[in-house]
Amino acid sequence: MKIAEMAVRVAPKTIHFRSGHAALFATLLTVTSCGDGTAPPTPATVVVSPSNMVGQTVGETIQYDAQVLDNTGTAIPGAKVLWTSGAEAVAEISASGLATVTGPGRTAIRASHETVSGSASLNVELEPAGLKTVAGDSQTAPALSVLLQDPIVQVEDAGGTPIQGVQVAFEVISGGGQIAPRTGTTDASGQARTRWTLGEDVGIQVLRAAVGGTLQVDFTVTATDPLLAVRTSTLDRARISVPYREALEVIGGTAPWTWSLASGSLPSGLELHPEGAILGTAADSGTSTFIVRVRDAAGLEATEELSLQVCEAPIQLESGGVKAMSPVQGFTCPPFIPAGNAGDRYRIGVVRTEVSTSFFPAAAVVKITEKGRASAMRATSLGIRTVRDLRSSPGLGVPRATSASLGAQMGPILELEEGLRRADRTARFHEELQSQARRLLRELGPEAILPDLGNAAGDARIAADQHPPPDRILVRPYDSSRSGEACQAPAPDAVPALLVAYSDDLAIYQDSVQQAIDPIDTDDTTQVLDYYDAYGARTIEEYFGGVSDMNGDGRITVFVSPVVSEGIAAFVWAGDFFNVSRCFWSNEMELIYFNESMFDAVGGAPQDGHYQALPTMVHEVKHVSSLYKRLKSQGFQPSWIEEGSAEIAAEISSRMAMEAVGGVAQGALLNRDAYPPRSGLIITPENYGMLLRLARTILSYASPINSLSTNPSDEHTFYGTSWHFHRFLGDAYGDAGNKADGSFFSALNDPAMASAGIQGIQEVTGHALSVLLEQYAAAMMLVGTGAPGPERSFRTYDFPSATTDLFRPQHQPEGEYPWFHTGVAPVGFESATYTGDLAPAGIRFHDFESDGQGDGMEVEVSVTGGAARIVIVRVR
C-alpha cells in the first residue's frame, strides 16, 4: 500500500487516535516522507569483471565491467563508478572501463562508487613475437679476428614493443668461429649481444640467434684472408715426469714466425721454443695461465691467452699392484697408465658400490686417450644404455651366455645343464618364500616363533640316536596356490607321510599317495643321507652354528612331496617355525620339502651325473638354520646374502667330500687338475656341488651386465655372483686356505654376532662395503694370472684354470677370467670409448696391453645414476 496517498485522502477529516496509536502514526508519517514509499539502497560492494586477465602485447585492450551491489547482493541500477589503474606503466584505463596495455608487469584495475570499491588483476607478460638484428650483420673482417661490431638482436612483441628479460641463444652455423656468451638475456631495450670471433674459413660465415623454437635470425659475415693469428686455443694436459711436446699453430702472416711469452710463465720444467713448441718435463702439478706472442717476417704480431694444466705423475704399479679411486673426468686429472714395455698388461674395473634388490642401471663410460703417439681417434661402443639393447648388443659380434647356450659349449659335462635350469627356477621360488616369511613375521610377531628345545645342548641328539623316527607322520603340505593367505584358516589338509630312511640328522619321508605311484628308492635316499651325515652336518655345525630343534626329535624332517613343483629342487617354508595356534598351516618342526625327481636323478648317476640332491640338502639345511635364527631376532637377511651363504654351505660340503676321497684338499687352491681326466667321468658325487657353483658364476659374469643382489636379465642369477662374493669374503677374511673360514660365516649367520644385511658383513670384516667391492674386483682381475695376489684375495680357487675348458663360453678365450667388456683379447693403449650399464653392485671389466710405444694412456671414467669406484691392477 502507498501510505502517502492514504494521508491525502483523510486530511479534511478530523481523526482522533487513542493514545496507544500515537507512536505508530508518527512512524507512518516518517515512512511516507520518502517519495514513493521505498528507502534508497545502500552500496555495499563493487564487483569487477573479468577478475583475472593476462595481456601479451602493448596496445592490447580489455573491456572491464563493474556492478555496484547493495547489502543483499542486488545490483543497484544506474550506479556510476570511477575507474583507475594501479600501475599506468602496465595498463591505462578509460572512464568507460576500457584498459589499454602499456607495458609488462602486474596491476590492479579498480572501480569505485562513493565509499566502496572492487578490483580485478591484470598481469601483462609480453609474448615474444618478433626477433630482428640491430647491429653486427653484413660485416667484412679477416678470418680468426674478433668482429669490431658485436652482433645485437632485439626481441619485440606483436606490436613492436621491445621485451626485457628474454633469453636469446647464439650459435655458429658455419665458419667454425667462437662466440661468448652463448646465451644472453635482453636488457631494458629488449636487446641482447654476443662477441663473435670468426673461424678460419674464408668466405661466408653465419651466426644464428634464436628465441625458443620459433623465432630466429641470422647474421652473415664475409671472412677475408686472415691476418696473423694464433690458431691454438687449448693445450693438452701435461704430466709430471712425462716428456711434454705441444706445437702451437698460427694462421696468416708471412713465414718465418717467432714465438715468445708476452706475459705470465709456463709451468716449472717447461719452456716455449722460439719456433712455437712448448717442450720439457713438468715438475709440479697445477695450472698456469699465460699469453703467447707470435711475430711474422713482416712484423705483424698476434697474441693468445692459454692455460696449461699439469697433472700428477703416471700410476706406478708393480705386477699385482692395485690402485682404487673415484671416477674423474673433465678438468680433473684422470689416472694415467704408462706405456712401459711391450706386453705390460693392466686391467680396469668399474665397480658400482650401491647394493639394491631392485634393478636400476647406471650408465658407465670409460674413455681411453692414447698419449705420446700420433694416432687416429676411434670410438668403439661395446654396450648400450638400456637393458633391451644390452641383450641384443652387436658390440662384440658374439652370442651372450645362457644356461642353454652354455651347455652346448661345456664339452664333457653337459650333465650340469639340467642342474643349472633347476637351480635357477628354485632360486626364483626361494625369493618368493623369503618375501612371504618377512610378511608372516610382521603379521604374527616374533612371539609366535616356537622355542628351540636345546638341540645345541646335545640332549635331543642323544634321544635321536636312541629312538628311530615314527614310520608314519601327518604333514600339512604347503599350498603354493594359496600363498597369499598362508597361515590363514582353513589349513591345508594333513596328508600321511611314510618313512623311507633316516640317519642321526635327517628323517626322509614320502607322501603316501605319491609313494604308492612312484616311490623313491631306499638306496638313493641312503646315498643322500650318507653324504649329509659325512659332510653336510659338519658343514652346518662349523659354518653356521648348527640348527634348531623345535619339536625335540633331534632330526630334520625331509618331506618328498608332489607339492614341490616341477623344476623346483627343494625349499624350506618359514611358516613351519610358528606356533600352530598362530599359523594354522605350521607343522611345528624343521621341515624341508624335496622334489621326488631329485632322488631319481641320484639313482641314475653316474651315467647321468645328476648328483644335485647331495649339495642341495646341505643348502636347504642352511636355510633351516639361518631362517630360524633371523626370525627369532626379527632381522632378515636380504635374499642375495641368504642364498649366497647357502651356496657356501653346498660348496663347502662338496670340498670336504673331495678331500675325503683323496681329491684336492678343502683349503687348497683348486684348479683344472682337481677334476678327473677328460677320458673319464668329470662329475662325481663329491665334486658336483663345487662344479655347479662354478658354472653359475661363469654364467652370471659372462652376461653383458652383472649384479650381486639382483637379476638384470633372465639369463643372470645372483646365486652365482653372490656365492662368488661370499667365497671371496671367506678366503680373504675367514682364512679359508687353512680351513678356518667356518667361524667367519658362523658370525654372519648369528644375529647375536652380526646385524642383518650389509651392515653385518661390514661389522664382521671391519670394512665398508665399497672397500670390500674394490678388493673383490681386484681379486677377480688378478686371480690365476701369475701376478702376486693382493692382500685380500681368493685362496681356494684358481678361477681361470678351474673354468677354462669346462664352463668357458665361446666368446671367452681359454685361460681368461672374468669376461672383459673390451673384448675377447686385451686391447692396446688406443684411444677408444667403452660404454655400458652397471647394475647395483655390478662390475664392468676392461683389459689392456701395451706395445711399449708412446707415453701411455689416460683413463677417464664417468658413471651417471649411481656411486662407483675405479680399480686398476697390473697383471704383468
Side-chain angles (χ1 to χ4, degrees):
M1 93 180 168
K2 295 185 178 180
I3 299 175
E5 294 178 358
M6 181 188 71
V8 170
R9 287 197 301 268
V10 301
K13 298 180 179 180
T14 301
I15 301 174
H16 299 279
F17 292 94
R18 291 192 298 267
S19 61
H21 293 87
L24 175 60
F25 182 70
T27 301
L28 290 173
L29 290 177
T30 301
V31 174
T32 59
S33 64
C34 297
D36 62 355
T38 301
T42 301
T45 57
V46 178
V47 177
V48 179
S49 61
S51 59
N52 287 285
M53 289 295 290
V54 176
Q56 296 181 331
T57 306
V58 172
E60 178 183 353
T61 60
I62 302 169
Q63 180 64 57
Y64 286 91
D65 294 313
Q67 280 190 318
V68 181
L69 307 179
D70 62 17
N71 51 12
T72 67
T74 303
I76 301 175
K80 297 185 179 299
V81 297
L82 176 64
W83 293 96
T84 58
S85 170
E88 293 192 347
V90 177
E92 297 176 346
I93 191 162
S94 69
S96 63
L98 182 65
T100 302
V101 173
T102 56
R106 182 182 292 274
T107 186
I109 302 298
R110 183 175 300 276
S112 303
H113 175 79
E114 297 180 358
T115 60
V116 295
S117 63
S119 64
S121 175
L122 174 58
N123 184 28
V124 177
E125 300 174 355
L126 298 183
E127 184 72 18
L131 179 66
K132 67 180 183 181
T133 61
V134 174
D137 192 21
S138 301
Q139 298 183 72
T140 298
L144 293 176
S145 66
V146 178
L147 290 181
L148 294 177
Q149 174 62 61
D150 289 343
I152 303 175
V153 295
Q154 182 168 297
V155 181
E156 301 173 343
D157 69 5
T161 300
I163 306 177
Q164 184 178 9
V166 178
Q167 191 172 69
V168 180
F170 296 97
E171 179 185 8
V172 174
I173 300 301
S174 65
Q178 302 292 323
I179 52 174
R182 293 182 177 275
T183 59
T185 303
T186 56
D187 56 19
S189 301
Q191 297 180 0
R193 68 171 63 206
T194 190
R195 175 64 57 91
W196 187 5
T197 302
L198 298 179
E200 63 182 69
D201 294 347
V202 174
I204 299 299
Q205 298 192 25
V206 180
L207 170 69
R208 177 166 295 165
V211 174
T214 57
L215 301 178
Q216 65 182 38
V217 65
D218 290 344
F219 293 85
T220 301
V221 168
T222 301
T224 59
D225 290 334
L227 301 176
L228 182 65
V230 178
R231 190 178 189 182
T232 302
S233 59
T234 60
L235 295 172
D236 195 11
R237 285 184 285 247
R239 289 274 170 180
I240 294 175
S241 77
V242 176
Y244 185 80
R245 179 183 178 88
E246 185 82 358
L248 303 179
E249 296 185 49
V250 67
I251 190 168
T254 304
W257 300 276
T258 304
W259 294 81
S260 61
L261 279 178
S263 66
S265 60
L266 293 171
S268 174
L270 302 180
E271 63 179 3
L272 175 60
H273 192 276
E275 292 184 0
I278 299 177
L279 306 171
T281 302
D284 302 306
S285 61
T287 301
S288 298
T289 300
F290 47 89
I291 296 177
V292 296
R293 176 190 294 115
V294 62
R295 179 190 294 268
D296 73 352
L300 294 176
E301 290 187 353
T303 60
E304 181 72 18
E305 183 178 81
L306 299 173
S307 291
L308 176 56
Q309 183 182 31
V310 179
C311 297
E312 63 274 7
I315 293 173
Q316 298 296 325
L317 294 176
E318 299 296 329
S319 177
V322 180
K323 177 76 172 178
M325 66 201 72
S326 297
V328 291
Q329 60 181 4
F331 296 106
T332 305
C333 290
F336 187 98
I337 299 177
N341 300 313
D344 285 358
R345 189 167 177 181
Y346 293 83
R347 290 174 171 173
I348 299 172
V350 184
V351 186
R352 187 165 170 192
T353 55
E354 302 159 305
V355 177
S356 171
T357 56
S358 299
F359 173 66
F360 53 98
V365 178
V366 177
K367 180 183 178 182
I368 303 300
T369 304
E370 183 183 16
K371 297 294 183 180
R373 177 173 57 181
S375 63
M377 297 288 288
R378 69 180 182 90
T380 305
S381 177
L382 298 181
I384 311 298
R385 294 284 179 90
T386 67
V387 177
R388 176 184 297 176
D389 289 339
L390 272 168
R391 293 179 181 175
S392 59
S393 172
L396 291 175
V398 294
R400 65 181 184 274
T402 67
S403 58
S405 67
L406 185 57
Q409 304 163 28
M410 293 193 330
I413 53 171
L414 295 176
E415 299 86 357
L416 278 179
E417 185 175 351
E418 175 58 31
L420 287 167
R421 286 196 293 265
R422 188 189 300 270
D424 287 346
R425 287 193 291 267
T426 302
R428 285 161 174 78
F429 185 57
H430 278 197
E431 284 190 77
E432 297 176 16
L433 290 176
Q434 290 179 39
S435 175
Q436 186 181 115
R438 294 181 177 87
R439 180 176 62 80
L440 291 178
L441 183 62
R442 290 194 302 269
E443 293 175 355
L444 304 179
E447 65 278 1
I449 303 296
L450 293 165
D452 186 349
L453 296 182
N455 184 10
D459 297 338
R461 171 59 58 84
I462 293 172
D465 291 344
Q466 296 174 349
H467 301 289
D471 292 335
R472 181 180 183 274
I473 62 173
L474 292 176
V475 179
R476 300 179 186 89
Y478 173 75
D479 188 351
S480 60
S481 67
R482 295 176 56 199
S483 60
E485 50 189 87
C487 280
Q488 299 177 17
D493 293 335
V495 300
L498 305 180
L499 183 66
V500 179
Y502 68 92
S503 68
D504 292 341
D505 299 292
L506 306 174
I508 300 178
Y509 288 83
Q510 186 175 18
D511 177 276
S512 60
V513 175
Q514 185 188 61
Q515 189 181 69
I517 300 171
D518 192 5
I520 56 175
D521 189 82
T522 303
D523 291 341
D524 299 341
T525 57
T526 299
Q527 186 175 2
V528 174
L529 290 173
D530 289 346
Y531 180 91
Y532 184 83
D533 287 351
Y535 315 116
R538 178 178 153 202
T539 297
I540 297 301
E541 191 65 38
E542 290 184 11
Y543 280 74
F544 304 102
V547 293
S548 58
D549 185 24
M550 294 173 286
N551 60 352
D553 66 354
R555 293 183 178 90
I556 296 172
T557 299
V558 179
F559 180 40
V560 180
S561 168
V563 302
V564 184
S565 303
E566 182 65 28
I568 304 298
F571 65 86
V572 174
W573 183 57
D576 287 319
F577 300 158
F578 288 89
N579 191 303
V580 71
S581 65
R582 301 292 300 278
C583 178
F584 299 118
W585 298 22
S586 176
N587 289 288
E588 295 192 324
M589 66 174 72
E590 293 76 19
L591 182 65
I592 298 174
Y593 290 82
F594 238 86
N595 193 308
E596 176 271 336
S597 65
M598 295 285 284
F599 290 92
D600 288 347
V602 171
Q607 292 81 11
D608 297 333
H610 292 162
Y611 298 104
Q612 193 168 5
L614 307 181
T616 295
M617 187 67 74
V618 188
H619 178 113
E620 298 303 325
V621 174
K622 186 271 173 185
H623 285 319
V624 172
S625 171
S626 57
L627 287 176
Y628 180 83
K629 289 180 172 69
R630 290 296 171 180
L631 278 167
K632 291 286 286 185
S633 69
Q634 305 180 64
F636 268 105
Q637 297 283 21
S639 291
W640 70 275
I641 294 179
E642 175 65 26
E643 296 297 344
S645 54
E647 289 288 88
I648 289 289
E651 174 239 351
I652 288 296
S653 71
S654 184
R655 292 295 301 264
M656 287 182 179
M658 293 171 68
E659 180 178 14
V661 297
V664 62
Q666 175 188 338
L669 187 69
L670 187 148
N671 56 29
R672 175 62 183 86
D673 295 337
Y675 312 141
R678 278 183 173 277
S679 59
L681 294 171
I682 298 296
I683 298 179
T684 68
E686 294 78 24
N687 70 20
Y688 188 97
M690 176 274 299
L691 290 174
L692 187 61
R693 272 78 212 162
L694 286 178
R696 297 182 88 179
T697 296
I698 293 303
L699 275 173
S700 296
Y701 277 114
S703 298
I705 183 170
N706 57 73
S707 171
L708 287 185
S709 56
T710 188
N711 290 325
S713 69
D714 293 338
E715 295 81 22
H716 180 281
T717 168
F718 64 73
Y719 276 55
T721 50
S722 184
W723 168 76
H724 196 249
F725 179 64
H726 279 84
R727 174 40 49 217
F728 163 74
L729 294 178
D731 281 18
Y733 289 90
D735 195 16
N738 291 315
K739 297 191 283 189
D741 53 336
S743 58
F744 174 84
F745 288 106
S746 290
L748 289 180
N749 197 52
D750 188 346
M753 300 181 67
S755 304
I758 296 169
Q759 183 177 347
I761 293 176
Q762 294 178 154
E763 291 168 357
V764 176
T765 61
H767 290 289
L769 182 68
S770 60
V771 174
L772 297 175
L773 291 174
E774 289 175 12
Q775 295 172 346
Y776 176 53
M780 289 181 70
M781 290 187 285
L782 286 170
V783 65
T785 63
E791 177 185 0
R792 305 290 186 180
S793 188
F794 290 102
R795 309 295 181 197
T796 57
Y797 286 89
D798 179 347
F799 285 103
S801 171
T803 64
T804 181
D805 62 351
L806 295 179
F807 311 101
R808 177 172 59 87
Q810 290 177 350
H811 58 267
Q812 184 171 332
E814 185 172 345
E816 295 297 339
Y817 155 92
W819 180 77
F820 291 92
H821 293 85
T822 39
V824 298
V827 296
F829 283 19
E830 302 169 353
S831 296
T833 300
Y834 306 94
T835 66
D837 279 349
L838 272 175
I843 311 173
R844 290 183 66 82
F845 299 98
H846 307 79
D847 201 12
F848 300 95
E849 186 171 304
S850 174
D851 62 1
Q853 302 298 310
D855 296 325
M857 65 178 185
E858 279 188 345
V859 182
E860 293 186 64
V861 178
S862 63
V863 177
T864 304
R869 295 281 285 170
I870 308 169
V871 180
I872 301 174
V873 303
R874 181 172 177 180
V875 178
R876 63 172 180 262

